[in-house]
Amino acid sequence: MPLRVIELITPRQDKDEVIKSLEEHRPDEGYVYWMSPLESDTALCFRIVLDVEESENVMDKLENLFTWNEQYRMVVYSAQATLPRLCEPPKEEPEQENGENGAKRKSRISREELYADVLDTSLLTKNFVLLVLFSSLIAVIGLVRDNVAIIIGAMVLAPLLGPNVGLSLATTLGDRKLALESSRTLAVGIGITLAVSVAFGLFFDLPDHSAQLIERSMTSYSDIILAIISGAAGIISFTMGVPTSLVGVMVALALLPPLTACGIFLGAGNYPNATGAGLLFLTNVICLNLAGVTTFLLQGIQPLTWWEQKRAKAATIRGVAIWTVLLLALVGVLALGRQ
């Protein structure tokens, strides 16, 4: 597994307490650490090298130790290697799996690292706006020319994937601020894509034959299954910190092409096909968020404190219920359309 370095900046008077905590938990987590003074005579820096699987457990214990202290700071970053190699911590017995404070070895990056990664893709920035604009133009060209390679280019850019993952994580953590930020970013992205594609449909004729464009106007039950599986795979890639694995998910879970097709059909006045393309886009969004919340839960993503966990549980139940109802409604619409 990848390695992480946790840097802890703490006042000098907390030295003994930090060392006691680190020594107490080192046999279970298998990390190494050392201490060095800072230029300031009032602070110390502890550096802890450990497997990424253990980083959340150690960070949570340190945060619990210093919640009362506003002078501490933790910084986490990647380490390529360490010599000598870290010793593997002893394997836990099944009955001891939860250990102290319910902590157990996690096969993912830490909650805080995941949050930072997701937040980066959920913010409404100038680069996000440009990325949506360019990917929308690429998708329009690919659909009109019936060129799969060009459409895949728009899929790989996948600017709308980040805000949806952010919305899923916000639901799981009960984080209202992240939910609002992700929703705003997603709404702007949808608006830009529709504006570009509707404008094309208004000022240019629809191509005589484009199989790729027609395919985006139809939704089947297999699209629901594909969206759920791809969404879950994408969330696992996020939690493992392996962005290269997301490329395949971006192609399989295509959000931009059906939305672009919807706009083109709307601009051309072809409302039946526009409805079909819009339905496919909604299918992917609903299934991605439902799979996202469920997968985050299965990965053990939850806030640190009990009162945040209580709020997150309520938000998660609410979110799962909403997405499930929308999915059932979608299935009902598909069933009626086949009659």
Side-chain angles (χ1 to χ4, degrees):
M1 289 296 291
L3 298 174
R4 293 293 184 268
V5 177
I6 300 175
E7 278 194 356
L8 173 66
I9 310 299
T10 181
R12 279 181 177 267
Q13 60 264 28
D14 297 328
K15 171 184 173 182
D16 293 338
E17 193 171 1
V18 174
I19 292 177
K20 178 182 176 183
S21 178
L22 291 176
E23 288 293 339
E24 180 182 348
H25 299 112
R26 180 159 59 172
D28 296 326
E29 272 80 24
Y31 52 74
V32 295
Y33 76 92
W34 62 94
M35 176 191 70
S36 56
L38 298 179
E39 291 184 5
S40 167
D41 291 336
T42 61
L44 296 171
C45 176
F46 287 86
R47 290 183 178 87
I48 308 162
V49 181
L50 70 174
D51 285 335
V52 68
E53 296 179 336
E54 300 293 353
S55 59
E56 184 174 307
N57 291 340
V58 174
M59 290 174 67
D60 285 350
K61 288 164 185 171
L62 291 173
E63 188 171 354
N64 280 324
L65 189 64
F66 290 105
T67 47
W68 49 269
N69 189 341
E70 296 182 357
Q71 295 176 292
Y72 88 98
R73 170 71 59 182
M74 273 192 288
V75 181
V76 182
Y77 52 90
S78 299
Q80 298 301 317
T82 183
L83 290 174
R85 294 174 181 153
L86 295 179
C87 297
E88 282 289 327
K91 297 197 175 188
E92 298 167 332
E93 298 296 331
E95 63 271 14
Q96 298 176 337
E97 189 177 56
N98 288 332
E100 184 182 353
N101 298 325
K104 58 181 178 180
R105 193 175 177 91
K106 299 174 175 66
S107 56
R108 56 172 174 80
I109 61 177
S110 68
R111 175 182 58 253
E112 301 305 327
E113 190 176 346
L114 173 64
Y115 189 94
D117 289 345
V118 172
L119 183 62
D120 284 343
T121 62
S122 303
L123 293 175
L124 181 57
T125 62
K126 181 177 70 174
N127 287 337
F128 174 82
V129 171
L130 290 174
L131 193 60
V132 172
L133 178 62
F134 294 152
S135 57
S136 299
L137 290 170
I138 293 172
V140 167
I141 294 171
L143 290 171
V144 171
R145 291 178 57 180
D146 197 21
N147 189 308
V148 178
I150 297 176
I151 296 172
I152 289 176
M155 292 175 177
V156 171
L157 290 175
L160 300 183
L161 182 62
N164 278 284
V165 175
L167 194 56
S168 299
L169 183 61
T171 303
T172 309
L173 295 177
D175 190 322
R176 182 173 298 181
K177 183 178 178 181
L178 179 60
L180 291 175
E181 188 66 43
S182 300
S183 299
R184 183 176 65 144
T185 304
L186 180 60
V188 171
I190 292 173
I192 293 172
T193 303
L194 283 176
V196 170
S197 52
V198 167
F200 180 89
L202 282 171
F203 296 107
F204 298 93
D205 295 330
L206 285 176
D208 294 332
H209 176 72
S210 173
Q212 293 298 320
L213 189 60
I214 297 300
E215 281 182 12
R216 266 70 186 188
S217 66
M218 297 177 289
T219 307
S220 64
Y221 295 120
S222 62
D223 291 313
I224 296 176
I225 297 172
L226 176 62
I228 291 175
I229 295 174
S230 301
I235 297 302
I236 291 175
S237 296
F238 265 99
T239 60
M240 291 179 64
V242 188
T244 53
S245 302
L246 286 171
V247 174
V249 174
M250 292 170 182
V251 175
L253 185 59
L255 295 171
L256 202 69
L259 183 61
T260 305
C262 177
I264 293 174
F265 285 126
L266 277 176
N270 189 335
Y271 300 118
N273 280 347
T275 302
L279 194 62
L280 178 57
F281 172 73
L282 288 176
T283 298
N284 290 341
V285 170
I286 292 169
C287 293
L288 170 58
N289 278 275
L290 183 58
V293 175
T294 304
T295 307
F296 277 136
L297 285 175
L298 293 176
Q299 290 284 81
I301 305 293
Q302 61 178 348
L304 176 59
T305 59
W306 65 267
W307 60 86
E308 290 177 322
Q309 291 174 7
K310 185 177 180 181
R311 181 183 63 193
K313 182 178 180 181
T316 301
I317 292 174
R318 226 173 16 247
V320 169
I322 291 172
W323 293 119
T324 301
V325 169
L326 290 175
L327 180 60
L328 292 175
L330 176 67
V331 172
V333 170
L334 292 178
L336 289 174
R338 290 178 176 274
Q339 291 181 356

